[in-house]
Amino acid sequence: MNPQAKLIFTVSLLLGTTITISSNHWVMAWTGLEINTLAILPLISKSHHPRAIEAATKYFLVQATASTLVLFASMTNAWSTGQWDITQLTHPTSCAILTSALAMKLGLAPFHFWFPEVLQGSPLTTGLLLSTVMKLPPITLLYMTSPSLNSTLLTIMAILSAALGGWMGLNQTQTRKIMAFSSISHLGWMAIILTYDPKLTLLNFYLYALITAAVFLILNSIKATNLPTLITTWAKTPSLNAMLLLTLLSLAGLPPLTGFLPKWLIIQELTKQDMTTAATIMALLSLLSLFFYLRLAYCATITLPPHTTNHMKMWRTNKPINASVAILVVMSTMLLPISPMISHIV
């Protein structure tokens, strides 16, 4: 892709995200979401492969439907209350429609079907944007409207997301699809706590984005798009493979790594809210995700490929590891000791 075009699309992504995050008026928030959608489409379809074009088409149709519902929800609310302010969403029907629309934008179950297909058709760098940056505006809108949202609906969607994200990721062999189901599962953790402690949702999102960025950049460095390729990368970059192991375990939420912090705080808050059953179900469902993270980690670092492998062995290179990857991996694995400070801020 032309560097100038790539720059324009990247700036448009930042602009759209900034407009949505900083707006008070529903129409401005909708405008930011539309700019975001239009900016990411060329980045999805830049390879001109039929699967990439299909992914871009699916993404456009889903996001256009969700944007229409956002506009419809805000208009219904304005019609009944006379308010266009985002924080003044009080009409119950508008709240239900908006929850569905933003769930569709995020890929939260039961509106999750498009996300794995779109991520599979996109390059790894665009997949990183779809999994992190593109989820920030809808999460922000949910954060701003959290006092008005239906907690029962969000809890049901959250448990569904954690269950489906775990179950459907079990038999995947493509790393991008595994990351997509991982994202759906993590969104469940963000949704369940949204109405009780919105700051925890944001904290979970930030840490999820940090760890996912590290995983995607490592996979991009070793050019691993499926498990058979991942098995043969030990010979090329052993240090990156060791980093991938730790980062995946952090994404799974194992102590003493960073990913344990949001799950710990969310389960603690759910217990305070007398939702012990929901907390137990979420904790058990996270074991499903742990299985496919362990599978990825096992393929990356613990197995040696059989001599009959069809993949050529990659020669080890002396190319230094990218500084951004190193910083992200350190943050993805070692932030748990500062959890008292974070929990004090939250």
Side-chain angles (χ1 to χ4, degrees):
M1 183 184 272
N2 188 340
Q4 285 85 359
K6 194 179 281 188
L7 177 66
I8 289 169
F9 297 137
T10 311
V11 170
S12 299
L13 272 178
L14 292 171
L15 177 69
T17 306
T18 309
I19 287 173
T20 303
I21 290 170
S22 57
S23 58
N24 291 317
H25 198 284
W26 274 113
V27 174
M28 284 302 290
W30 172 81
T31 307
L33 291 171
E34 287 299 296
I35 291 170
N36 257 8
T37 302
L38 294 173
I40 198 77
L41 286 173
L43 297 177
I44 296 172
S45 59
K46 67 181 177 184
S47 67
H48 301 296
H49 189 275
R51 179 163 281 178
I53 305 298
E54 181 189 336
T57 309
K58 283 178 180 173
Y59 185 77
F60 172 74
L61 291 173
V62 170
Q63 297 297 316
T65 309
S67 293
T68 309
L69 285 173
V70 167
L71 208 53
F72 180 66
S74 56
M75 285 174 69
T76 312
N77 186 66
W79 194 7
S80 60
T81 63
Q83 283 286 344
W84 280 98
D85 198 308
I86 291 175
T87 53
Q88 302 297 322
L89 189 78
T90 51
H91 197 259
T93 313
S94 300
C95 291
I97 296 170
L98 183 84
T99 307
S100 306
L102 293 178
M104 201 181 291
K105 275 203 167 289
L106 286 166
L108 192 67
F111 307 104
H112 64 286
F113 294 102
W114 62 273
F115 191 55
E117 300 299 324
V118 170
L119 213 61
Q120 180 58 28
S122 311
L124 280 165
T125 44
T126 310
L128 166 59
L129 291 174
L130 285 169
S131 302
T132 54
V133 177
M134 297 301 290
K135 292 193 186 302
L136 182 56
I139 286 276
T140 311
L141 290 176
L142 283 172
Y143 175 79
M144 288 195 278
T145 55
S146 58
S148 317
L149 299 179
N150 186 335
S151 56
T152 312
L153 177 63
L154 279 169
T155 305
I156 292 166
M157 290 167 87
I159 291 172
L160 259 179
S161 293
L164 290 170
W167 278 116
M168 295 171 79
L170 289 180
N171 62 345
Q172 298 298 329
T173 57
Q174 301 291 324
T175 52
R176 282 168 293 187
K177 278 201 171 178
I178 289 173
M179 293 308 294
F181 289 117
S182 150
S183 177
I184 292 164
S185 179
H186 276 271
L187 282 168
W189 283 88
M190 294 175 216
I192 199 163
I193 202 69
L194 183 67
T195 50
Y196 304 107
D197 194 343
K199 285 183 180 177
L200 263 186
T201 299
L202 282 186
L203 173 69
N204 193 349
F205 175 74
Y206 295 146
L207 292 179
Y208 156 76
L210 177 80
I211 302 168
T212 304
V215 173
F216 266 107
L217 289 174
I218 291 172
L219 291 174
N220 191 47
S221 297
I222 57 184
K223 299 288 180 282
T225 53
N226 53 31
L227 294 187
T229 315
L230 198 60
I231 290 171
T232 61
T233 54
W234 62 273
K236 186 185 179 189
T237 47
S239 53
L240 263 183
N241 273 25
M243 287 182 184
L244 182 61
L245 167 70
L246 287 172
T247 316
L248 285 167
L249 293 180
S250 181
L251 199 56
L254 289 186
L257 304 168
T258 306
F260 175 61
L261 172 60
K263 290 186 176 177
W264 173 28
L265 292 175
I266 287 171
I267 288 174
Q268 188 180 353
E269 183 62 33
L270 286 174
T271 313
K272 284 179 189 171
Q273 299 289 343
D274 290 331
M275 292 180 67
T276 319
T277 312
T280 309
I281 291 169
M282 291 298 285
L284 289 172
L285 289 173
S286 69
L287 293 175
L288 293 169
S289 306
L290 176 62
F291 177 82
F292 62 73
Y293 292 129
L294 283 175
R295 189 158 160 244
L296 265 179
Y298 183 78
C299 287
T301 54
I302 304 166
T303 56
L304 291 180
H307 295 297
T308 53
T309 178
N310 293 325
H311 286 271
M312 289 174 66
K313 282 206 178 86
M314 301 180 190
W315 287 99
R316 189 174 300 186
T317 58
N318 292 321
K319 192 172 75 170
I321 294 168
N322 193 338
S324 58
V325 176
I327 293 166
L328 283 170
V329 168
V330 169
M331 291 176 73
S332 301
T333 51
M334 297 186 183
L335 286 186
L336 192 65
I338 64 163
S339 55
M341 185 183 79
I342 292 173
S343 56
H344 179 69
I345 293 167
V346 169

PDB file of all heavy atoms in Angstrom, residues 222-224 226-238 241 299-301 303-306 308-316:
ATOM      1  N   ILE A 222       7.494 -13.270  13.829  1.00  0.00           N
ATOM      2  CA  ILE A 222       7.896 -14.623  13.424  1.00  0.00           C
ATOM      3  C   ILE A 222       7.040 -15.149  12.268  1.00  0.00           C
ATOM      4  O   ILE A 222       7.195 -16.288  11.851  1.00  0.00           O
ATOM      5  CB  ILE A 222       7.874 -15.604  14.618  1.00  0.00           C
ATOM      6  CG1 ILE A 222       6.486 -15.647  15.266  1.00  0.00           C
ATOM      7  CG2 ILE A 222       8.915 -15.244  15.640  1.00  0.00           C
ATOM      8  CD1 ILE A 222       6.393 -16.505  16.508  1.00  0.00           C
ATOM      9  N   LYS A 223       6.107 -14.273  11.774  1.00  0.00           N
ATOM     10  CA  LYS A 223       5.262 -14.601  10.609  1.00  0.00           C
ATOM     11  C   LYS A 223       4.509 -15.925  10.805  1.00  0.00           C
ATOM     12  O   LYS A 223       4.455 -16.771   9.917  1.00  0.00           O
ATOM     13  CB  LYS A 223       6.120 -14.677   9.335  1.00  0.00           C
ATOM     14  CG  LYS A 223       6.830 -13.369   8.972  1.00  0.00           C
ATOM     15  CD  LYS A 223       5.848 -12.334   8.467  1.00  0.00           C
ATOM     16  CE  LYS A 223       6.524 -11.026   8.093  1.00  0.00           C
ATOM     17  NZ  LYS A 223       6.874 -10.170   9.220  1.00  0.00           N
ATOM     18  N   ALA A 224       3.942 -16.091  12.013  1.00  0.00           N
ATOM     19  CA  ALA A 224       3.225 -17.337  12.312  1.00  0.00           C
ATOM     20  C   ALA A 224       1.721 -17.082  12.230  1.00  0.00           C
ATOM     21  O   ALA A 224       1.169 -16.370  13.065  1.00  0.00           O
ATOM     22  CB  ALA A 224       3.591 -17.820  13.707  1.00  0.00           C
ATOM     23  N   ASN A 226      -0.420 -19.868  11.613  1.00  0.00           N
ATOM     24  CA  ASN A 226      -1.100 -21.106  12.038  1.00  0.00           C
ATOM     25  C   ASN A 226      -0.178 -21.938  12.929  1.00  0.00           C
ATOM     26  O   ASN A 226       1.014 -21.642  13.050  1.00  0.00           O
ATOM     27  CB  ASN A 226      -1.564 -21.920  10.814  1.00  0.00           C
ATOM     28  CG  ASN A 226      -0.442 -22.163   9.837  1.00  0.00           C
ATOM     29  OD1 ASN A 226       0.721 -22.268  10.239  1.00  0.00           O
ATOM     30  ND2 ASN A 226      -0.765 -22.253   8.566  1.00  0.00           N
ATOM     31  N   LEU A 227      -0.726 -22.973  13.535  1.00  0.00           N
ATOM     32  CA  LEU A 227       0.049 -23.746  14.518  1.00  0.00           C
ATOM     33  C   LEU A 227       1.227 -24.507  13.904  1.00  0.00           C
ATOM     34  O   LEU A 227       2.304 -24.536  14.501  1.00  0.00           O
ATOM     35  CB  LEU A 227      -0.877 -24.704  15.286  1.00  0.00           C
ATOM     36  CG  LEU A 227      -1.927 -24.040  16.182  1.00  0.00           C
ATOM     37  CD1 LEU A 227      -2.662 -25.081  17.011  1.00  0.00           C
ATOM     38  CD2 LEU A 227      -1.306 -23.006  17.098  1.00  0.00           C
ATOM     39  N   PRO A 228       1.084 -25.143  12.712  1.00  0.00           N
ATOM     40  CA  PRO A 228       2.252 -25.825  12.133  1.00  0.00           C
ATOM     41  C   PRO A 228       3.446 -24.889  11.903  1.00  0.00           C
ATOM     42  O   PRO A 228       4.595 -25.274  12.133  1.00  0.00           O
ATOM     43  CB  PRO A 228       1.721 -26.365  10.796  1.00  0.00           C
ATOM     44  CG  PRO A 228       0.265 -26.535  11.004  1.00  0.00           C
ATOM     45  CD  PRO A 228      -0.135 -25.430  11.932  1.00  0.00           C
ATOM     46  N   THR A 229       3.178 -23.646  11.483  1.00  0.00           N
ATOM     47  CA  THR A 229       4.274 -22.675  11.302  1.00  0.00           C
ATOM     48  C   THR A 229       4.873 -22.305  12.647  1.00  0.00           C
ATOM     49  O   THR A 229       6.086 -22.146  12.782  1.00  0.00           O
ATOM     50  CB  THR A 229       3.756 -21.389  10.608  1.00  0.00           C
ATOM     51  OG1 THR A 229       2.922 -21.759   9.517  1.00  0.00           O
ATOM     52  CG2 THR A 229       4.896 -20.536  10.105  1.00  0.00           C
ATOM     53  N   LEU A 230       3.997 -22.174  13.648  1.00  0.00           N
ATOM     54  CA  LEU A 230       4.462 -21.788  14.985  1.00  0.00           C
ATOM     55  C   LEU A 230       5.403 -22.843  15.565  1.00  0.00           C
ATOM     56  O   LEU A 230       6.363 -22.518  16.263  1.00  0.00           O
ATOM     57  CB  LEU A 230       3.238 -21.603  15.892  1.00  0.00           C
ATOM     58  CG  LEU A 230       3.418 -20.814  17.178  1.00  0.00           C
ATOM     59  CD1 LEU A 230       3.890 -19.397  16.891  1.00  0.00           C
ATOM     60  CD2 LEU A 230       2.120 -20.780  17.962  1.00  0.00           C
ATOM     61  N   ILE A 231       5.145 -24.113  15.246  1.00  0.00           N
ATOM     62  CA  ILE A 231       5.977 -25.204  15.769  1.00  0.00           C
ATOM     63  C   ILE A 231       7.411 -25.096  15.251  1.00  0.00           C
ATOM     64  O   ILE A 231       8.359 -25.459  15.945  1.00  0.00           O
ATOM     65  CB  ILE A 231       5.349 -26.574  15.393  1.00  0.00           C
ATOM     66  CG1 ILE A 231       4.066 -26.788  16.199  1.00  0.00           C
ATOM     67  CG2 ILE A 231       6.305 -27.715  15.655  1.00  0.00           C
ATOM     68  CD1 ILE A 231       3.259 -27.990  15.769  1.00  0.00           C
ATOM     69  N   THR A 232       7.590 -24.580  14.041  1.00  0.00           N
ATOM     70  CA  THR A 232       8.932 -24.552  13.438  1.00  0.00           C
ATOM     71  C   THR A 232       9.708 -23.261  13.741  1.00  0.00           C
ATOM     72  O   THR A 232      10.822 -23.104  13.281  1.00  0.00           O
ATOM     73  CB  THR A 232       8.830 -24.704  11.907  1.00  0.00           C
ATOM     74  OG1 THR A 232       8.067 -23.600  11.389  1.00  0.00           O
ATOM     75  CG2 THR A 232       8.164 -26.001  11.516  1.00  0.00           C
ATOM     76  N   THR A 233       9.115 -22.333  14.494  1.00  0.00           N
ATOM     77  CA  THR A 233       9.811 -21.045  14.705  1.00  0.00           C
ATOM     78  C   THR A 233      10.846 -21.089  15.823  1.00  0.00           C
ATOM     79  O   THR A 233      11.585 -20.139  15.999  1.00  0.00           O
ATOM     80  CB  THR A 233       8.795 -19.924  15.031  1.00  0.00           C
ATOM     81  OG1 THR A 233       8.001 -20.352  16.135  1.00  0.00           O
ATOM     82  CG2 THR A 233       7.907 -19.623  13.850  1.00  0.00           C
ATOM     83  N   TRP A 234      10.888 -22.186  16.595  1.00  0.00           N
ATOM     84  CA  TRP A 234      11.867 -22.263  17.688  1.00  0.00           C
ATOM     85  C   TRP A 234      13.296 -22.130  17.172  1.00  0.00           C
ATOM     86  O   TRP A 234      14.167 -21.633  17.871  1.00  0.00           O
ATOM     87  CB  TRP A 234      11.707 -23.592  18.445  1.00  0.00           C
ATOM     88  CG  TRP A 234      11.965 -24.784  17.568  1.00  0.00           C
ATOM     89  CD1 TRP A 234      11.058 -25.409  16.778  1.00  0.00           C
ATOM     90  CD2 TRP A 234      13.211 -25.445  17.348  1.00  0.00           C
ATOM     91  NE1 TRP A 234      11.652 -26.429  16.079  1.00  0.00           N
ATOM     92  CE2 TRP A 234      12.984 -26.472  16.410  1.00  0.00           C
ATOM     93  CE3 TRP A 234      14.508 -25.287  17.853  1.00  0.00           C
ATOM     94  CZ2 TRP A 234      13.991 -27.321  15.967  1.00  0.00           C
ATOM     95  CZ3 TRP A 234      15.504 -26.133  17.413  1.00  0.00           C
ATOM     96  CH2 TRP A 234      15.237 -27.146  16.477  1.00  0.00           C
ATOM     97  N   ALA A 235      13.531 -22.575  15.940  1.00  0.00           N
ATOM     98  CA  ALA A 235      14.894 -22.530  15.401  1.00  0.00           C
ATOM     99  C   ALA A 235      15.273 -21.126  14.938  1.00  0.00           C
ATOM    100  O   ALA A 235      16.442 -20.795  14.839  1.00  0.00           O
ATOM    101  CB  ALA A 235      15.001 -23.490  14.214  1.00  0.00           C
ATOM    102  N   LYS A 236      14.242 -20.293  14.677  1.00  0.00           N
ATOM    103  CA  LYS A 236      14.518 -18.960  14.131  1.00  0.00           C
ATOM    104  C   LYS A 236      14.767 -17.935  15.238  1.00  0.00           C
ATOM    105  O   LYS A 236      15.773 -17.244  15.246  1.00  0.00           O
ATOM    106  CB  LYS A 236      13.341 -18.518  13.263  1.00  0.00           C
ATOM    107  CG  LYS A 236      13.580 -17.216  12.531  1.00  0.00           C
ATOM    108  CD  LYS A 236      12.319 -16.796  11.798  1.00  0.00           C
ATOM    109  CE  LYS A 236      12.534 -15.475  11.068  1.00  0.00           C
ATOM    110  NZ  LYS A 236      11.294 -14.944  10.527  1.00  0.00           N
ATOM    111  N   THR A 237      13.834 -17.850  16.185  1.00  0.00           N
ATOM    112  CA  THR A 237      13.955 -16.851  17.255  1.00  0.00           C
ATOM    113  C   THR A 237      13.548 -17.466  18.592  1.00  0.00           C
ATOM    114  O   THR A 237      12.407 -17.309  19.027  1.00  0.00           O
ATOM    115  CB  THR A 237      13.035 -15.641  16.960  1.00  0.00           C
ATOM    116  OG1 THR A 237      11.744 -16.151  16.590  1.00  0.00           O
ATOM    117  CG2 THR A 237      13.571 -14.759  15.878  1.00  0.00           C
ATOM    118  N   PRO A 238      14.452 -18.190  19.234  1.00  0.00           N
ATOM    119  CA  PRO A 238      14.110 -18.839  20.499  1.00  0.00           C
ATOM    120  C   PRO A 238      13.688 -17.849  21.596  1.00  0.00           C
ATOM    121  O   PRO A 238      12.795 -18.127  22.377  1.00  0.00           O
ATOM    122  CB  PRO A 238      15.378 -19.584  20.903  1.00  0.00           C
ATOM    123  CG  PRO A 238      16.398 -19.287  19.880  1.00  0.00           C
ATOM    124  CD  PRO A 238      15.816 -18.466  18.796  1.00  0.00           C
ATOM    125  N   ASN A 241      10.124 -16.763  21.135  1.00  0.00           N
ATOM    126  CA  ASN A 241       9.219 -17.855  21.493  1.00  0.00           C
ATOM    127  C   ASN A 241       9.018 -17.938  23.013  1.00  0.00           C
ATOM    128  O   ASN A 241       7.916 -18.188  23.485  1.00  0.00           O
ATOM    129  CB  ASN A 241       9.760 -19.189  20.972  1.00  0.00           C
ATOM    130  CG  ASN A 241       9.316 -19.441  19.546  1.00  0.00           C
ATOM    131  OD1 ASN A 241       9.028 -18.499  18.811  1.00  0.00           O
ATOM    132  ND2 ASN A 241       9.250 -20.692  19.145  1.00  0.00           N
ATOM    133  N   CYS A 299       2.806 -25.345  21.469  1.00  0.00           N
ATOM    134  CA  CYS A 299       3.303 -25.414  20.084  1.00  0.00           C
ATOM    135  C   CYS A 299       4.516 -24.505  19.874  1.00  0.00           C
ATOM    136  O   CYS A 299       5.440 -24.840  19.152  1.00  0.00           O
ATOM    137  CB  CYS A 299       2.204 -24.995  19.092  1.00  0.00           C
ATOM    138  SG  CYS A 299       0.926 -26.221  18.903  1.00  0.00           S
ATOM    139  N   ALA A 300       4.481 -23.335  20.527  1.00  0.00           N
ATOM    140  CA  ALA A 300       5.543 -22.353  20.289  1.00  0.00           C
ATOM    141  C   ALA A 300       6.852 -22.741  20.954  1.00  0.00           C
ATOM    142  O   ALA A 300       7.926 -22.525  20.389  1.00  0.00           O
ATOM    143  CB  ALA A 300       5.098 -20.990  20.799  1.00  0.00           C
ATOM    144  N   THR A 301       6.799 -23.317  22.147  1.00  0.00           N
ATOM    145  CA  THR A 301       8.041 -23.449  22.922  1.00  0.00           C
ATOM    146  C   THR A 301       8.392 -24.851  23.379  1.00  0.00           C
ATOM    147  O   THR A 301       9.550 -25.122  23.652  1.00  0.00           O
ATOM    148  CB  THR A 301       7.958 -22.570  24.190  1.00  0.00           C
ATOM    149  OG1 THR A 301       6.761 -22.925  24.884  1.00  0.00           O
ATOM    150  CG2 THR A 301       7.927 -21.112  23.856  1.00  0.00           C
ATOM    151  N   THR A 303       7.279 -28.051  22.010  1.00  0.00           N
ATOM    152  CA  THR A 303       7.396 -29.161  21.055  1.00  0.00           C
ATOM    153  C   THR A 303       8.560 -28.940  20.095  1.00  0.00           C
ATOM    154  O   THR A 303       8.884 -27.816  19.744  1.00  0.00           O
ATOM    155  CB  THR A 303       6.123 -29.287  20.199  1.00  0.00           C
ATOM    156  OG1 THR A 303       5.888 -28.036  19.562  1.00  0.00           O
ATOM    157  CG2 THR A 303       4.938 -29.660  21.026  1.00  0.00           C
ATOM    158  N   LEU A 304       9.144 -30.024  19.670  1.00  0.00           N
ATOM    159  CA  LEU A 304      10.076 -29.988  18.548  1.00  0.00           C
ATOM    160  C   LEU A 304       9.344 -30.604  17.366  1.00  0.00           C
ATOM    161  O   LEU A 304       8.630 -31.599  17.525  1.00  0.00           O
ATOM    162  CB  LEU A 304      11.340 -30.797  18.856  1.00  0.00           C
ATOM    163  CG  LEU A 304      12.254 -30.208  19.916  1.00  0.00           C
ATOM    164  CD1 LEU A 304      13.452 -31.118  20.123  1.00  0.00           C
ATOM    165  CD2 LEU A 304      12.741 -28.832  19.508  1.00  0.00           C
ATOM    166  N   PRO A 305       9.494 -30.032  16.178  1.00  0.00           N
ATOM    167  CA  PRO A 305       8.746 -30.585  15.043  1.00  0.00           C
ATOM    168  C   PRO A 305       9.278 -31.964  14.655  1.00  0.00           C
ATOM    169  O   PRO A 305      10.478 -32.226  14.785  1.00  0.00           O
ATOM    170  CB  PRO A 305       9.019 -29.574  13.933  1.00  0.00           C
ATOM    171  CG  PRO A 305      10.298 -28.930  14.307  1.00  0.00           C
ATOM    172  CD  PRO A 305      10.359 -28.919  15.796  1.00  0.00           C
ATOM    173  N   PRO A 306       8.423 -32.861  14.185  1.00  0.00           N
ATOM    174  CA  PRO A 306       8.908 -34.159  13.702  1.00  0.00           C
ATOM    175  C   PRO A 306       9.734 -33.979  12.431  1.00  0.00           C
ATOM    176  O   PRO A 306       9.602 -32.985  11.736  1.00  0.00           O
ATOM    177  CB  PRO A 306       7.617 -34.932  13.409  1.00  0.00           C
ATOM    178  CG  PRO A 306       6.582 -33.880  13.220  1.00  0.00           C
ATOM    179  CD  PRO A 306       6.975 -32.735  14.078  1.00  0.00           C
ATOM    180  N   THR A 308       9.426 -35.341   9.721  1.00  0.00           N
ATOM    181  CA  THR A 308       8.633 -35.466   8.492  1.00  0.00           C
ATOM    182  C   THR A 308       7.839 -34.191   8.185  1.00  0.00           C
ATOM    183  O   THR A 308       6.986 -34.197   7.320  1.00  0.00           O
ATOM    184  CB  THR A 308       7.616 -36.621   8.650  1.00  0.00           C
ATOM    185  OG1 THR A 308       6.872 -36.383   9.856  1.00  0.00           O
ATOM    186  CG2 THR A 308       8.316 -37.954   8.752  1.00  0.00           C
ATOM    187  N   THR A 309       8.107 -33.094   8.923  1.00  0.00           N
ATOM    188  CA  THR A 309       7.329 -31.858   8.714  1.00  0.00           C
ATOM    189  C   THR A 309       7.483 -31.338   7.275  1.00  0.00           C
ATOM    190  O   THR A 309       8.557 -31.428   6.681  1.00  0.00           O
ATOM    191  CB  THR A 309       7.767 -30.764   9.716  1.00  0.00           C
ATOM    192  OG1 THR A 309       7.021 -29.599   9.448  1.00  0.00           O
ATOM    193  CG2 THR A 309       9.242 -30.435   9.599  1.00  0.00           C
ATOM    194  N   ASN A 310       6.385 -30.807   6.773  1.00  0.00           N
ATOM    195  CA  ASN A 310       6.408 -30.252   5.412  1.00  0.00           C
ATOM    196  C   ASN A 310       6.962 -28.836   5.377  1.00  0.00           C
ATOM    197  O   ASN A 310       7.189 -28.285   4.306  1.00  0.00           O
ATOM    198  CB  ASN A 310       4.984 -30.236   4.833  1.00  0.00           C
ATOM    199  CG  ASN A 310       4.484 -31.646   4.610  1.00  0.00           C
ATOM    200  OD1 ASN A 310       5.268 -32.520   4.264  1.00  0.00           O
ATOM    201  ND2 ASN A 310       3.192 -31.872   4.831  1.00  0.00           N
ATOM    202  N   HIS A 311       7.120 -28.237   6.558  1.00  0.00           N
ATOM    203  CA  HIS A 311       7.600 -26.857   6.597  1.00  0.00           C
ATOM    204  C   HIS A 311       9.121 -26.831   6.628  1.00  0.00           C
ATOM    205  O   HIS A 311       9.755 -27.627   7.311  1.00  0.00           O
ATOM    206  CB  HIS A 311       7.063 -26.154   7.849  1.00  0.00           C
ATOM    207  CG  HIS A 311       5.606 -25.831   7.724  1.00  0.00           C
ATOM    208  ND1 HIS A 311       5.158 -24.663   7.194  1.00  0.00           N
ATOM    209  CD2 HIS A 311       4.508 -26.556   8.042  1.00  0.00           C
ATOM    210  CE1 HIS A 311       3.837 -24.662   7.205  1.00  0.00           C
ATOM    211  NE2 HIS A 311       3.419 -25.802   7.715  1.00  0.00           N
ATOM    212  N   MET A 312       9.685 -25.892   5.890  1.00  0.00           N
ATOM    213  CA  MET A 312      11.143 -25.739   5.913  1.00  0.00           C
ATOM    214  C   MET A 312      11.553 -25.152   7.256  1.00  0.00           C
ATOM    215  O   MET A 312      10.894 -24.258   7.780  1.00  0.00           O
ATOM    216  CB  MET A 312      11.580 -24.784   4.798  1.00  0.00           C
ATOM    217  CG  MET A 312      11.428 -25.374   3.407  1.00  0.00           C
ATOM    218  SD  MET A 312      11.779 -24.143   2.151  1.00  0.00           S
ATOM    219  CE  MET A 312      13.513 -23.870   2.460  1.00  0.00           C
ATOM    220  N   LYS A 313      12.639 -25.655   7.809  1.00  0.00           N
ATOM    221  CA  LYS A 313      13.141 -25.096   9.064  1.00  0.00           C
ATOM    222  C   LYS A 313      13.685 -23.697   8.795  1.00  0.00           C
ATOM    223  O   LYS A 313      14.366 -23.476   7.803  1.00  0.00           O
ATOM    224  CB  LYS A 313      14.253 -25.991   9.614  1.00  0.00           C
ATOM    225  CG  LYS A 313      13.750 -27.237  10.305  1.00  0.00           C
ATOM    226  CD  LYS A 313      14.757 -27.706  11.328  1.00  0.00           C
ATOM    227  CE  LYS A 313      14.241 -28.933  12.060  1.00  0.00           C
ATOM    228  NZ  LYS A 313      14.553 -30.159  11.346  1.00  0.00           N
ATOM    229  N   MET A 314      13.375 -22.776   9.711  1.00  0.00           N
ATOM    230  CA  MET A 314      13.848 -21.404   9.528  1.00  0.00           C
ATOM    231  C   MET A 314      15.212 -21.260  10.199  1.00  0.00           C
ATOM    232  O   MET A 314      15.402 -21.709  11.321  1.00  0.00           O
ATOM    233  CB  MET A 314      12.856 -20.429  10.164  1.00  0.00           C
ATOM    234  CG  MET A 314      11.462 -20.542   9.578  1.00  0.00           C
ATOM    235  SD  MET A 314      10.371 -19.374  10.372  1.00  0.00           S
ATOM    236  CE  MET A 314       8.787 -19.938   9.722  1.00  0.00           C
ATOM    237  N   TRP A 315      16.129 -20.603   9.488  1.00  0.00           N
ATOM    238  CA  TRP A 315      17.464 -20.410  10.052  1.00  0.00           C
ATOM    239  C   TRP A 315      17.433 -19.322  11.109  1.00  0.00           C
ATOM    240  O   TRP A 315      16.747 -18.325  10.982  1.00  0.00           O
ATOM    241  CB  TRP A 315      18.454 -20.024   8.945  1.00  0.00           C
ATOM    242  CG  TRP A 315      18.787 -21.192   8.079  1.00  0.00           C
ATOM    243  CD1 TRP A 315      18.265 -21.506   6.879  1.00  0.00           C
ATOM    244  CD2 TRP A 315      19.714 -22.229   8.389  1.00  0.00           C
ATOM    245  NE1 TRP A 315      18.783 -22.664   6.407  1.00  0.00           N
ATOM    246  CE2 TRP A 315      19.696 -23.142   7.300  1.00  0.00           C
ATOM    247  CE3 TRP A 315      20.564 -22.493   9.463  1.00  0.00           C
ATOM    248  CZ2 TRP A 315      20.477 -24.271   7.265  1.00  0.00           C
ATOM    249  CZ3 TRP A 315      21.349 -23.621   9.425  1.00  0.00           C
ATOM    250  CH2 TRP A 315      21.301 -24.505   8.336  1.00  0.00           C
ATOM    251  N   ARG A 316      18.216 -19.552  12.153  1.00  0.00           N
ATOM    252  CA  ARG A 316      18.277 -18.556  13.221  1.00  0.00           C
ATOM    253  C   ARG A 316      18.970 -17.302  12.707  1.00  0.00           C
ATOM    254  O   ARG A 316      19.987 -17.377  12.033  1.00  0.00           O
ATOM    255  CB  ARG A 316      19.063 -19.124  14.406  1.00  0.00           C
ATOM    256  CG  ARG A 316      18.986 -18.238  15.630  1.00  0.00           C
ATOM    257  CD  ARG A 316      19.630 -18.885  16.823  1.00  0.00           C
ATOM    258  NE  ARG A 316      18.995 -20.145  17.160  1.00  0.00           N
ATOM    259  CZ  ARG A 316      19.313 -20.843  18.239  1.00  0.00           C
ATOM    260  NH1 ARG A 316      20.235 -20.398  19.069  1.00  0.00           N
ATOM    261  NH2 ARG A 316      18.716 -21.978  18.495  1.00  0.00           N
TER     262      ARG A 316
END
